[in-house]
Amino acid sequence: MSQEISLAHFRAWLLAYAEHIEAIEAQLTDLDAAIGDADHGANMRRGMERLRARLADPGLQCDDIGALLRTVAMTLVSTVGGAAGPLYGAFFLRAAQECQGGSVVTLVQLARMFRAGLQGIQQRGKAQLNDKTLVDALEPAVVALEKAAAEGAPLAVALEAARVAAEAGMRHTIGLQANRGRASYLGPRAIGHQDPGATSLYGLIRTAAETLGAAQPASLASRR
Amino acid sequence: MQKLINEPADAVVESLEGLQLAYPHLLRVSFSPHYVARVDAPVRGKVSVISGSGSGHEPLNVGYVGRGMLDAACPGAIFTSPTPDQYLAATRAVEGGAGVLYIVKNYMGGVLNTEMALELAREEGYDVASVLVKDDVAVEAAHNRRGMGAAVLVEKIAGAAAEAGRPLAEVTRLAQRASDQARSMGVALSSCTVPSVGRPTFDLPADQMELGVGIHGEPGRLRLPLAKADTVVEMLAEAILKDMAVRPGTSVLAMVSGLGATPQHELFIVFRRLHAFLQAHGLVVARCLVGNYVTSLDMAGCMVTLLQLDPELIALWDAPVHTPALTWGV
């Protein structure tokens, strides 16, 4: 089983994420209507449509993983809007900077990229754990990935651990009061609702687990 | 959903196309990326004032583009803050050599996107400052307050100062003072419906009202049985005055803005009580604005905004303005 993640794996991940967001758009809308302003689903879908178009563009120059992730960052920043655009943009931009080119990365490098992405989100958004934001899904996933990498776990096992941690983090937001973002205006009325940002972020980790650890990257043709 | 739209996905573009056709003498619309610039921009030697917000709040901000107010407005998707590339394109289009002021309403998305825009514009060598508008007293933590009706007043005052040839530091200082001295609070009688969602953002029974509602349909401070107009006005005005600490004899600008689906007929009933209430508290209603100035699509309800005035702010408020939504002195 391959322990290296190729450029093709990353492309498969991003396309799977775009498909995932399109599938859960209505859920994101409902979650955001409950504690925000009902635009997270539409904004993320608009970003993913543009991302899909960018990735399908034969003229796109993305010969290494860093360039690919930088393209993702710029696409999301200029199309998603709201808080999610700059935050997802910060994740991909910092992850791109961390891997500095290269056409393959190892689990250890991936963990560093995700950590850098988390730091990018936190520098931009100033959110901490338990503020009821996407950080609540991402940070546990990064910690799980780092732990698995330090223990020398196989890639698929490490990614699955990250997925499980992200899912638990997403569910944990249900019981939280929000300290950042629009749900923070609600005070205790936000408790009982899952955070939409943590939900879309969980999808990013879930699709990573489905694609980055695969022996062969999912064929682009089978994913439209 | 009963709306005069064609396809939800086309609503923002088609609305901008209509705006362009209605006001070709005042503004021009760029569609890639979206921004609206005053027709004679860039005005050489003048500070440029730019503001952005999600669409669905019209006339904010696109209706305030023109002489004496905004040099450019960046409309985002419905209720979604515009992206950094929009601000950057608008900055390049209207900057006249004297610097740029971004007026930003305090929402996380608005702040994050303009922070990125500021970084990008400064990298290109532009002199850019920003002022944050955060006037909603329904949010108790002052740092977290949402930008509401004060945006209109800050944009007018900044625009007048820029038109008068004041330098960027002065325009920024005056805009900041207007922002610091303004407070708002809103009430919803019904939810808005976002076109791409197709149903109301929140459920509000016919006999209830949402006090302290945000302009994107975010829930407010508390939900109460619907009261008569005078009582509702007193609740809003009391909450605002409690936060303002104004001395008797102070002059204020009082704005009542409908949220999109409340008729002007009712807004005057609101203003009638507001005026009496402020006078009874010893305040002088020196200037006023009653109409639809900051809206939330088709939400029913209104917001009240008070701005503490002084002679300098009054002179800037009275200065000529020529935009689709505010015009006087021309």
Side-chain angles (χ1 to χ4, degrees), chain B residues 23 85 89 92 106 122 160 289 324:
Chain B
Y23 296 100
D85 53 313
R92 290 180 189 137
N106 191 30
R122 284 176 180 156
L289 206 53

Side-chain angles (χ1 to χ4, degrees), chain B residues 79-196:
Chain B
F79 290 175
T80 297
S81 45
T83 54
D85 53 313
Q86 291 177 258
Y87 284 98
L88 193 60
T91 299
R92 290 180 189 137
V94 305
E95 208 270 343
V100 183
L101 177 64
Y102 292 167
I103 295 173
V104 183
K105 286 181 291 307
N106 191 30
Y107 296 93
M108 193 154 176
V111 170
L112 297 188
N113 282 287
T114 43
E115 274 175 4
M116 292 186 83
L118 271 166
E119 290 164 15
L120 295 169
R122 284 176 180 156
E123 266 175 35
E124 292 195 7
Y126 293 109
D127 189 9
V128 191
S130 68
V131 165
L132 201 58
V133 177
K134 42 178 183 175
D135 51 318
D136 186 4
V137 301
V139 180
E140 296 193 356
H143 72 278
N144 202 26
R145 285 187 173 165
R146 301 178 280 220
M148 303 259 286
V152 180
L153 315 182
V154 173
E155 288 168 13
K156 169 68 182 81
I157 283 162
E163 204 71 50
R166 310 264 193 115
L168 181 60
E170 275 287 286
V171 175
T172 305
R173 180 183 66 79
L174 289 159
Q176 186 66 57
R177 190 158 95 220
S179 177
D180 292 344
Q181 293 182 182
R183 299 287 185 278
S184 296
M185 186 146 151
V187 61
L189 311 185
S190 74
S191 173
C192 49
T193 296
V194 175
S196 65

Side-chain angles (χ1 to χ4, degrees), chain A residues 15 42 70 74 100 145 148 155-156 215:
Chain A
L15 290 169
R70 192 178 301 274
M74 292 309 158
Q100 290 182 349
L145 204 59
L155 181 58

